[in-house]
């Protein structure tokens, strides 16, 4: 695997204690971020809220082109990256599925990257193979944002999850420092979990409950990094034991597509189901419920039961909304327009429905 562009510079900057230079950088791993980078990114994300809420429009990326390349299924990541770019005034080109691209004819990632970076100002890529997005980025002439590489990382998801944690806790009078979180489900293959656990290392006094079936525990490197920085990490194999005494439940889907056989995946499906009765019995009042989505709503799975929809602590749709502003912030910082967004702002002239969820706070 080739090293990402700018990596050497970033590593030397890290050694000097300086922060990520967003402008022109690939965003491949949350390990590129220091805590001050997170603060900067979230401040820009906050500034994007009026645009995402359709109170104002900006054309700051007018003329810019994003190429979205998704070689694995995606709904919210692909569409929210595209919407974020559109909301900044840019245009989006889509490639989905290997069979629709020349990779199916044996074209290398290197050639594809050289070609597509000639057509685009920035590329967002999801690929089933760990490290493939970094390999692609090394050959790209424009910044590449990792939208998930196999079971490895999903940086933008973890950033929007952390942004959601920050907002939900702020509503309850807390900061991220001192966070108590239960991370539940397929912790072995879940790339959103891997990136989130790596980001939490940057905060102070975090307590993590890792709740998974035996065999689907989080990779040792993610937990070792937390422990090395003095955070409390406890491992649980039952839901009832793991979901008490936390601020956040972060529930995940069994990543069926990462198993050697469907029979093996079936063995784990539906083992941990959170519903209102379990929540009431085991969780502290106002525990926030998050999930990167999609949740598996088939009868045998239901890791989050439909009866939670009226629970105001279910934050899953606030989480998806937050994905737009965090991705707008990533584009604005990587393409160096964050300071110009407001200068080019105009009022919205069309009817905009207020985005009130039908029941509960979503
Ligand atoms: C996650 C993913 O693709 O890794 N989904 C997402 O991007 N929101 C989690 C999952 O698929 O379970």
């Amino acid at each position: 695997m080739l090293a990402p562009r700018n990596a050497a510079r970033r590593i030397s900057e890290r050694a000097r204690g300086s922060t990520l230079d967003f402008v022109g950088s690939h965003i491949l791993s949350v390990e590129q971020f220091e805590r001050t980078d997170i603060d900067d990114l979230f401040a820009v994300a906050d500034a994007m809220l009026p645009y995402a809420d359709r109170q104002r429009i900006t054309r700051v990326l007018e003329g810019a082109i994003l190429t979205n390349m998704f070689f694995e299924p995606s709904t919210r990541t692909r569409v929210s990256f595209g919407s974020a770019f559109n909301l900044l005034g840019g245009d989006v080109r889509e490639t989905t599925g290997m069979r629709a691209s020349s990779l199916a004819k044996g074209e290398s990632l290197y050639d594809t990257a050289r070609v597509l970076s000639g057509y685009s100002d920035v590329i967002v890529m999801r690929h089933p193979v760990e490290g493939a997005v970094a390999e692609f980025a090394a050959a790209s002439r424009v910044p590449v944002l990792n939208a998930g590489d196999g079971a490895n990382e999903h940086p933008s998801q973890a950033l929007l999850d952390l942004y959601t944690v920050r907002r939900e806790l702020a509503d309850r009078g807390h900061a991220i420092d001192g966070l108590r979180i239960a991370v539940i489900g397929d912790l072995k293959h879940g790339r959103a979990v891997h990136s989130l656990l790596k980001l939490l290392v940057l905060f102070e006094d975090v307590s993590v409950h890792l709740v998974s079936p035996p065999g689907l525990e989080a990779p040792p490197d993610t937990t070792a990094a937390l422990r090395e920085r003095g955070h409390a990490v406890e491992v649980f194999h039952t839901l009832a034991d793991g979901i008490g005494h936390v601020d956040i439940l972060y529930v995940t889907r069994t990543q069926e597509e990462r198993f050697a056989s469907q029979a093996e995946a079936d063995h784990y499906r539906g083992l941990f189901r959170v519903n209102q009765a379990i929540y009431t019995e085991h969780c502290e009042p106002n525990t926030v419920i998050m999930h990167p989505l999609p949740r598996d709503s088939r009868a045998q799975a239901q890791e989050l039961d439909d009866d939670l929809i009226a629970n105001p602590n279910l934050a899953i749709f606030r989480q998806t909304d937050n994905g737009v502003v965090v991705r707008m912030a990533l584009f604005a910082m990587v393409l160096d327009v964050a300071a110009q967004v407001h200068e080019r702002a105009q009022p919205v002239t069309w009817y905009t429905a207020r985005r009130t969820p039908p029941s509960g706070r979503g």
Side-chain angles (χ1 to χ4, degrees):
M1 192 181 83
L2 300 170
R5 192 173 69 112
N6 290 346
R9 196 180 76 214
R10 260 189 249 111
I11 288 162
S12 64
E13 282 171 350
R14 271 197 151 207
R16 293 199 312 270
S18 61
T19 56
L20 168 63
D21 176 12
F22 282 90
V23 179
S25 288
H26 304 306
I27 305 294
L28 302 175
S29 163
V30 294
E31 290 179 11
Q32 293 169 250
F33 289 76
E34 298 289 351
R35 186 158 168 173
T36 49
D37 302 318
I38 306 282
D39 294 340
D40 292 348
L41 182 78
F42 287 180
V44 176
D46 286 344
M48 297 298 173
L49 286 164
Y51 303 97
D53 274 343
R54 312 297 199 273
Q55 292 164 20
R56 281 187 256 160
I57 58 170
T58 179
R59 309 297 300 163
V60 78
L61 285 184
E62 189 164 20
I65 295 176
L66 160 68
T67 297
N68 247 347
M69 303 188 70
F70 278 71
F71 299 131
E72 272 193 333
S74 175
T75 302
R76 74 224 83 236
T77 304
R78 185 174 62 80
V79 176
S80 70
F81 263 122
S83 298
F85 207 74
N86 289 149
L87 284 165
L88 292 166
D91 291 321
V92 183
R93 299 276 173 273
E94 301 272 5
T95 301
T96 50
M98 299 274 185
R99 268 179 295 184
S101 87
S102 285
L103 291 168
K105 298 178 184 172
E107 186 167 54
S108 67
L109 281 172
Y110 179 90
D111 284 6
T112 310
R114 291 301 304 265
V115 171
L116 288 179
S117 55
Y119 304 158
S120 328
D121 296 281
V122 59
I123 295 172
V124 171
M125 188 184 205
R126 171 172 286 186
H127 196 284
V129 178
E130 287 186 24
V133 180
E135 185 182 339
F136 180 92
S140 170
R141 290 171 281 172
V142 300
V144 174
L145 278 55
N146 180 5
D149 61 323
N152 183 33
E153 276 226 39
H154 193 347
S156 66
Q157 180 68 44
L159 291 165
L160 80 87
D161 289 339
L162 192 66
Y163 183 75
T164 304
V165 168
R166 190 189 70 144
R167 290 189 70 180
E168 297 292 322
L169 292 187
D171 287 349
R172 291 159 177 79
H174 301 292
I176 301 176
D177 291 319
L179 169 72
R180 304 168 304 156
I181 184 169
V183 186
I184 301 158
D186 182 356
L187 310 185
K188 179 178 180 184
H189 303 104
R191 57 193 172 197
V193 168
H194 300 164
S195 291
L196 182 61
L197 292 176
K198 288 181 188 172
L199 272 186
L200 291 178
V201 171
L202 298 175
F203 292 82
E204 301 296 328
D205 191 25
V206 174
S207 164
V208 184
H209 291 189
L210 299 168
V211 188
S212 74
L216 296 187
E217 289 91 352
D221 60 322
T222 52
T223 53
L226 281 162
R227 288 195 175 104
E228 272 164 28
R229 290 280 286 259
H231 301 297
V233 179
E234 285 180 85
V235 174
F236 299 91
H237 289 127
T238 68
L239 202 55
D241 290 337
I243 63 175
H245 312 294
V246 294
D247 307 300
I248 309 270
L249 299 185
Y250 187 93
V251 186
T252 66
R253 179 181 68 89
T254 303
Q255 308 282 297
E256 290 187 12
E257 63 275 35
R258 311 271 177 242
F259 288 82
S261 71
Q262 187 61 45
E264 196 192 341
D266 289 346
H267 172 68
Y268 292 106
R269 193 186 304 121
L271 289 184
F272 291 157
R273 300 177 183 206
V274 181
N275 60 26
Q276 186 57 48
I278 288 168
Y279 179 92
T280 306
E281 185 180 349
H282 297 288
C283 295
E284 293 178 3
N286 292 324
T287 302
V288 181
I289 307 165
M290 294 174 57
H291 191 303
L293 300 181
R295 52 176 161 166
D296 189 340
S297 293
R298 288 172 287 186
Q300 325 87 301
Q302 288 178 325
E303 59 257 15
L304 281 183
D305 199 292
D306 285 345
D307 72 358
L308 290 163
I309 203 75
N311 185 328
N313 300 297
L314 184 72
I316 55 177
F317 300 122
R318 295 193 287 279
Q319 208 177 335
T320 51
D321 283 354
N322 288 338
V324 175
V325 289
V326 169
R327 290 175 172 130
M328 288 175 80
L330 283 171
F331 287 133
M333 292 179 81
V334 167
L335 297 178
D336 201 14
V337 293
Q340 301 161 45
V341 169
H342 298 313
E343 286 168 23
R344 308 270 303 265
Q346 295 165 29
V348 165
T349 52
W350 62 88
Y351 166 76
T352 56
R354 296 300 304 155
R355 297 186 307 160
T356 307
S359 70
R361 292 171 62 218

